[in-house]
Amino acid sequence: MKKLLYLFVAISFIAFTSCDDDDDAPTGAGETLNQYIDATSETTWHYFSLKNGIEVGAGEETETDNTTWFARTDWDIAILGYHVRTNSGTATSVGSKGGVFACDESVAYATLEAVPATAIFAADKVIPVAGHGGTRNLMKSTAQVIQFKTDKDGKKIMPPVYLQSPVYIFKTADGKEAYKVNFTQYVNDEVTKGHVKFDYAILY
């Protein structure tokens, strides 16, 4: 009889703790974290791990440095000025599975709790970018830290008028996790470009 009593108590304890663990299981987006990156250089990519919450390192926009970084899986996004790179696409030599999805402008960062069922994550590709030194080709994503107001012909208004970018969802290099990202700053108090801040939180 005592053995049966002990067995009942043991089973009850296991059942209780199991239910308790279910109650503590995370739902929706994870805790929002903040990051600042000094992306004032027009030639330097800053590589960041969303998974580990750290800037992994920096590399120049050169064939040698790009080849080195696209052979690594310890970064998820990279920032150069207002440009954003993901660890994805034909450039990766290690099969990284990152990418980006741009949410509709009506989607607020605070209320985004899950990846939309219709989300398609775009890999990086070579995109011509116009600058003061002419046009250069960058392997990058379609995401941008900031948007620019354009005229009716789609040309950037000068001097530039900055607009808020939409909320983005980025996949990690291994393709196993997705993070929502909200870029909140591109210029500092002195209106110096490249002072980037963003909020991010895991969705799965």
Side-chain angles (χ1 to χ4, degrees), residues 75-126:
W75 64 276
D76 303 307
I77 64 173
I79 296 173
L80 181 157
Y82 63 86
H83 305 293
V84 181
R85 172 177 281 176
T86 70
N87 202 346
S88 67
T90 57
T92 174
S93 60
V94 288
S96 294
K97 301 175 182 177
V100 63
F101 170 74
C103 295
D104 186 81
E105 291 183 358
S106 63
V107 175
Y109 174 86
T111 57
L112 180 62
E113 294 292 320
V115 177
T118 56
I120 297 176
F121 289 86
D124 286 18
K125 61 182 180 180
V126 176

Side-chain angles (χ1 to χ4, degrees), residues 47 56-60 62-75 85 87 91-94 96:
Y47 293 85
V56 179
E60 292 300 299
T62 63
E63 183 177 354
T64 299
D65 277 10
N66 285 341
T67 299
T68 298
W69 280 99
F70 274 111
R72 297 174 59 162
T73 59
D74 58 346
W75 64 276
R85 172 177 281 176
N87 202 346
T92 174
S93 60
V94 288
S96 294

